[in-house]
Amino acid sequence: MATITLQGNTIETIGNLPQNGTKASDFSLAATDLSVKSLNDFSGQRLILNIFPSVDTGTCATSVREFNKKAADLENTKVLCISRDLPFAQGRFCGAEGIENAVMLSDFATGKFGKDYGLEITTGPLTGLHSRCIVIVDENGEVIYTEQVSETVNEPNYEAALKALS
């Protein structure tokens, strides 16, 4: 379990992020068109998993915008923005913000992704949502970088995440 904070107050997650060098766990997540996407749908591509509690908060929205811009020109790389928001809310956000370089995926139905990746929040007011973290998966499906953001209202370290891909 990871111990993080929300505005200075201690909260916990169900586990720890995957270890670097391990195979990324498969997932089934809903896209904004309600189709189901799995890790296999992105086979052979490098993936930035930008994971957060809700796109309807300022920091979460900022992380989607930043990765949308910063990763747009990276070869063979997809940004997957993952939360427990409904796919409709994710789609509305992308339309309003002009987000075109990120794939929005929802874990709303089961929360299985959050449990499998060890990032579901288990205590405090955000219980059941995902913690803010980054997981980068290489083209072979191996985890090469993770960041569990220690203070939930802070943004991830974009530069460190992108450096892992160079």
Side-chain angles (χ1 to χ4, degrees):
M1 131 183 95
T3 300
I4 56 178
T5 58
L6 172 63
Q7 298 178 324
N9 298 305
T10 300
I11 58 177
E12 297 172 338
T13 65
I14 198 165
N16 293 302
L17 295 177
Q19 294 291 313
N20 288 349
T22 62
K23 284 288 186 187
S25 295
D26 198 11
F27 53 76
S28 292
L29 298 167
T32 56
D33 64 0
L34 300 181
S35 64
V36 175
K37 299 292 183 188
S38 71
L39 186 61
N40 290 334
D41 290 315
F42 304 99
S43 181
Q45 297 178 309
R46 302 183 312 169
L47 303 174
I48 300 171
L49 307 183
N50 175 32
I51 307 156
F52 47 84
S54 175
V55 76
D56 286 327
T57 65
T59 306
C60 299
T62 298
S63 73
V64 173
R65 286 186 208 104
E66 286 299 309
F67 276 120
N68 183 59
K69 284 189 302 194
K70 294 179 183 291
D73 296 328
L74 296 176
E75 284 189 41
N76 194 36
T77 303
K78 292 272 190 213
V79 177
L80 307 183
C81 295
I82 304 169
S83 69
R84 300 234 26 215
D85 291 299
L86 290 175
F88 312 113
Q90 292 176 334
R92 183 179 62 247
F93 172 81
C94 289
E97 295 285 333
I99 304 294
E100 298 175 351
N101 300 317
V103 178
M104 300 297 282
L105 297 172
S106 175
D107 190 23
F108 81 99
T110 64
K112 187 171 176 350
F113 173 85
K115 290 174 180 65
D116 290 349
Y117 276 71
L119 51 90
E120 178 181 301
I121 297 171
T122 59
T123 61
L126 299 181
T127 295
L129 297 180
H130 295 158
S131 63
R132 182 177 320 288
C133 48
I134 305 298
V135 176
I136 297 185
V137 179
D138 71 9
E139 57 274 356
N140 299 312
E142 186 174 296
V143 175
I144 59 170
Y145 174 88
T146 63
E147 177 191 3
Q148 172 66 71
V149 178
S150 60
E151 169 54 60
T152 303
V153 300
N154 292 343
E155 294 177 51
N157 186 336
Y158 304 108
E159 299 312 316
L162 295 173
K163 186 176 181 182
L165 292 168
S166 57

